Each structure stands twice: as structure tokens, then as C-alpha cells.
Amino acid sequence: MTAALPPVMGLGGASLGNLGTAMSDAEAADLLATAWDAGVRHFDTAPHYGLGLSERRLGRFLATKPRDEFVVSTKVGRLLRPVAGWQGEQDTEGFVVPGDLRREWDFTPDGIRTSLEESCDRLGLDAVDIVYLHDPERWDLAAAVTSGWPALVGLRAAGTVGAIGVGSMDTEALLAVARTGDADLLMVAGRYTLLDQSVLPEVVDVCSRTGTRMVAAAVFNSGLLADTTSPTTYDYGEVPAAKLETARRIAAVCAAHGVDLPTAALHYPLRDEMVQSVIFGAAQPSQVRQNVDRLTRRIPPGLWSDLAEQGLVP
């Protein structure tokens, strides 16, 4: 395989793993069919999402599509292993699935290769296009970069994967991999948004020097930038009062330009030439259609300058 940059928009697969709420297999298939019909050809998943459920559902859907018409990314670092003596408990990491498997951190070369092989089995694919180290800072960042990263570089050199990188909400993890000079992509989760520009300037500067592109994920910061009228979560936790106030101020500026807040949130990171694509999540087909439509809209340039003049974005 050769490294290829993903399309400008992609669908995140956490909801396919029943993040926060359960969906049926039929609902998952409908969600994916809606995305495909809307033109989405970039799909991101991970073993972590629903203990493999997201990968299995995505794989069943993509089995009906020509392999050369889509790009798939998954992640390595967590192996899924049976829970001894499981007695019907549910997963404890936010996914509404049986907890009959446990996540086992493993960033060793063998662990990286095994994780990728098992993901390909769940996806029903001979290979995936992009592989990211997943949340290495939650285990041991230095050890993951020392052992796991060279393993990914080797897999790319062997042609097993096309592109490699790291997926994380942590700027130190993003920097550690970007500084190797070997990364094709950084999946920046929630750190290049209208409310959080933690990648500025250092991560972006390193990417500019190394030619590493970014994929912006979690651009709604897990909910707040999608709806400030009834905010649910910010970065998967309680919404801080200061963030809510800032989001509402941003929304007011957007409204003055005839743009809704979610549309601005999707477009904001794409203004940076180092951002290759944006990944959006969706739990319902209507959300897929809305986000695809939002990405086709033209944003008045004055919106960005007004936000900057009011100190709401850099």
C-alpha cells in the first residue's frame, strides 16, 4: 500500500460502538448507508469503540462496497481480551455493550502487529489505509513512542499500511510523534476547535516543518459546539461555565453572519492548510446529512476576522 491522504470529510465510528447510547445493528447500517449516499468515503474506527463492535459493524457495511472507493483508519495500543468469569456486567468506559472483553494496553511491536491483525479480522479487510497509535499518553507516552512507533514505521515500510500517525486529545502525545518526522497524519481530537486551539502554535509549527498533515476530530468538543441552547458535554465531561459563555459569544457572532455554530465549528480547522480533513460523529442519519451539508456551505470571511477581533479565536 502507498500513503494516501484521506478525503476532506469523514465519519467517526464511536457511535457505531454504542458510545453513550445503544443503537441496533440495523440502525448502524442505516447510519452508514446514509453517510455513503451523502458522499462520505472516509471512515474512522478503533478497537476501543464498543470493544470491537464499531469495527465489526463498519466491516459488514464496507463488505458491500468496492475496496478502492473508501479509506479506513483504525487504531492500535489496546488489545481486546476475554474477561475471566464474566457474569453479564456492562462495559465501564462509556460504551453500552457487554463487558465480556477487557482492554489491555500493549504498545510493544508484537502488540501493535497483533492489534492491527485483529482489527483487520473484525473489519473483514486485508489491510487498512491509516493506523494511529491510540491515546499513548494514557499508558506510557515515552514507552509507546520508543517501542510502538517504530513498529508502525516498519509496517508502513513493508507496505502493510498506507499511512501512520497518532490519535490523541493530548498535545504532548501529538508533539512526540510529530517530532519523529515520520508521521503522515495526526488525528487531533478536540484540540483544534473554536473553543480549544491547543495545537497552536507548536504542533502546527512542527507539522509545517515535517510535512505532517492533521485530521481534526471531535470538532464539537463532544457536544457543546453542536448546541449551546441545551449543552450536554464538553470533552466528554461537565460543561465549564466559562466555556459555555465563550461558546455562546461565538454563536452570536456566527449568527450575525448568517452561519450556525456547528457549521462554523466544522469549517474552522479546515482553514489551516495543514489540516487535511475533519471527522464528525453522528448517532442518527439526520445528523450525517446535516454535517455533510454544513461542510458544503460557504463561510463569509468576515466571520473569522470578527471572531479574532473579539478575542474569541487566535
Side-chain angles (χ1 to χ4, degrees):
M1 296 182 67
T2 57
L5 294 175
V8 71
M9 66 178 174
L11 180 68
S15 65
L16 297 173
N18 290 358
L19 177 64
T21 186
M23 69 170 65
S24 67
D25 287 346
E27 289 169 331
D30 188 29
L31 184 77
L32 288 164
T34 299
W36 187 273
D37 291 345
V40 176
R41 296 294 185 270
H42 177 195
F43 301 90
D44 177 69
T45 185
H48 174 53
Y49 302 159
L51 295 170
L53 179 62
S54 174
E55 290 181 321
R56 293 192 297 273
R57 284 173 164 171
L58 180 59
R60 284 196 293 269
F61 175 77
L62 292 177
T64 68
K65 306 301 179 186
R67 181 61 183 94
D68 62 352
E69 291 189 13
F70 58 83
V71 171
V72 174
S73 58
T74 192
K75 307 179 184 76
V76 292
R78 293 172 172 93
L79 296 176
L80 304 180
R81 294 296 176 258
V83 172
W86 179 67
Q87 296 183 348
E89 297 90 350
Q90 289 289 102
D91 179 52
T92 59
E93 296 200 26
F95 296 90
V96 186
V97 294
D100 56 335
L101 299 174
R102 60 183 174 82
R103 300 165 179 85
E104 181 179 292
W105 290 106
D106 194 334
F107 286 95
T108 65
D110 284 345
I112 296 296
R113 287 188 288 269
T114 298
S115 180
L116 180 55
E117 289 169 2
E118 293 177 355
S119 284
C120 286
D121 286 344
R122 287 188 290 267
L123 286 161
L125 298 173
D126 292 333
V128 296
D129 304 283
I130 304 165
V131 180
Y132 299 105
L133 292 184
H134 200 187
D135 301 330
E137 75 284 352
R138 299 189 186 184
W139 179 66
D140 184 324
L141 178 57
V145 174
T146 299
S147 64
W149 183 247
L152 272 189
V153 173
L155 288 169
R156 182 183 59 188
T160 305
V161 300
I164 58 174
V166 60
S168 176
M169 298 175 68
D170 183 75
T171 54
E172 289 305 312
L174 297 169
L175 277 171
V177 172
R179 284 171 174 157
T180 68
D182 286 323
D184 300 298
L185 296 162
L186 305 182
M187 179 168 278
V188 178
R191 298 296 170 259
Y192 207 162
T193 77
L194 283 171
L195 284 173
D196 188 324
Q197 303 88 32
S198 298
V199 293
L200 297 174
E202 195 169 10
V203 176
V204 172
D205 287 348
V206 172
C207 286
S208 296
R209 292 197 303 270
T210 60
T212 303
R213 303 299 292 270
M214 290 179 285
V215 174
V219 294
F220 298 139
N221 285 116
S222 83
L224 180 54
L225 287 172
D227 182 6
T228 60
T229 59
S230 55
T232 52
T233 59
Y234 176 80
D235 283 359
Y236 309 103
E238 185 177 347
V239 179
K243 290 292 185 183
L244 177 58
E245 173 61 24
T246 300
R248 286 176 171 166
R249 291 178 61 199
I250 292 172
V253 176
C254 290
H257 287 270
V259 178
D260 65 18
L261 181 61
T263 297
L266 284 164
H267 281 263
Y268 176 67
L270 290 170
R271 297 174 64 245
D272 192 317
E273 65 180 5
M274 298 313 297
V275 175
Q276 172 64 29
S277 60
V278 61
I279 295 285
F280 60 81
Q284 300 171 5
S286 61
Q287 294 173 339
V288 173
R289 289 189 289 266
Q290 285 176 338
N291 287 329
V292 171
D293 177 66
R294 286 163 173 157
L295 280 165
T296 66
R297 296 179 192 174
R298 180 183 177 276
I299 305 298
L303 168 60
W304 310 122
S305 58
D306 281 358
L307 287 172
E309 286 173 6
Q310 296 190 35
L312 293 168
V313 298

